[in-house]
Amino acid sequence: MSATLFQQLLHAAFRQDAPALLPSTDLQAYQELQRAPAREQGFHFERVRLLVAMSLMKALADLGDHDESRQVQQVLHRALTARSIEQIDAIITKDAQHFERLYTDLYVNDEGEQLLHLFERTLDADTMPAMDAVIQEASDLVDALDFDAPHEDDEE
């Protein structure tokens, strides 16, 4: 899997917000994973997973103006500041209620359902081939989304 596809996913999902939300170290997370010594690969894999999950939540939030997905995105963003897998887990665990509320009273269209399905697969991915498959599908989906289309709430 190309690190370029990972970067394309981040840029497509975050669009104009990418420079403000994603420092260059985040954009290089996939390359860092590829170069990491074996003892550090788990941590770098988690960073890639966090960034893919953030991309999917950003796309969902922008697609449907969904506050719960923005809150999950913020938790994931905070987790990116962690220096270890244990710190990542602690941050996620502390704010687990946001993940639980993500699916409460949620109306989504087909694209939203696909984003949520890919989000779940991102959280379940435990190997590079599994993560690469999610990155490929997420990149294709986010590229195809029309973020400028009117939302049902906008039409009222």
Side-chain angles (χ1 to χ4, degrees):
M1 174 64 56
S2 163
T4 304
L5 189 57
F6 171 77
Q7 289 178 342
Q8 288 172 345
L9 169 61
L10 296 179
H11 285 293
F14 286 91
R15 296 175 313 285
Q16 68 272 10
D17 296 333
L21 293 175
L22 301 173
S24 62
T25 54
D26 290 347
L27 295 173
Q28 302 301 317
Y30 195 97
Q31 290 94 321
E32 289 176 20
L33 171 59
Q34 291 175 316
R35 292 189 301 259
R39 68 183 182 283
E40 296 177 14
Q41 286 185 345
F43 173 69
H44 289 284
F45 181 83
E46 290 304 320
R47 287 188 45 79
V48 167
R49 182 197 319 252
L50 287 169
L51 287 159
V52 172
M54 275 180 55
S55 297
L56 294 166
M57 289 296 97
K58 174 75 167 123
L60 183 61
D62 291 351
L63 188 64
D65 193 27
H66 187 247
D67 189 52
E68 286 81 6
S69 53
R70 280 191 187 85
Q71 292 173 7
V72 168
Q73 178 192 338
Q74 290 170 356
V75 172
L76 297 168
H77 194 254
R78 280 194 304 278
L80 277 174
T81 65
R83 302 264 186 237
S84 68
I85 293 173
E86 293 78 18
Q87 287 180 351
I88 291 171
D89 290 343
I91 292 168
I92 300 291
T93 300
K94 179 183 175 211
D95 290 319
Q97 74 275 11
H98 295 296
F99 292 85
E100 293 166 9
R101 283 194 301 237
L102 181 62
Y103 297 96
T104 304
D105 298 324
L106 177 63
Y107 168 78
V108 293
N109 55 19
D110 289 339
E111 292 88 359
E113 287 182 22
Q114 291 173 341
L115 288 166
L116 286 171
H117 176 70
L118 286 171
F119 178 72
E120 291 170 6
R121 286 187 44 211
T122 299
L123 300 180
D124 291 339
D126 59 358
T127 65
M128 280 309 299
M131 184 57 67
D132 287 345
V134 171
I135 292 170
Q136 177 68 56
E137 290 178 48
S139 181
D140 292 345
L141 177 59
V142 171
D143 280 343
L145 294 176
D146 183 2
F147 293 103
D148 297 322
H151 306 295
E152 286 193 19
D153 293 343
D154 296 341
E155 294 173 3
E156 293 178 10

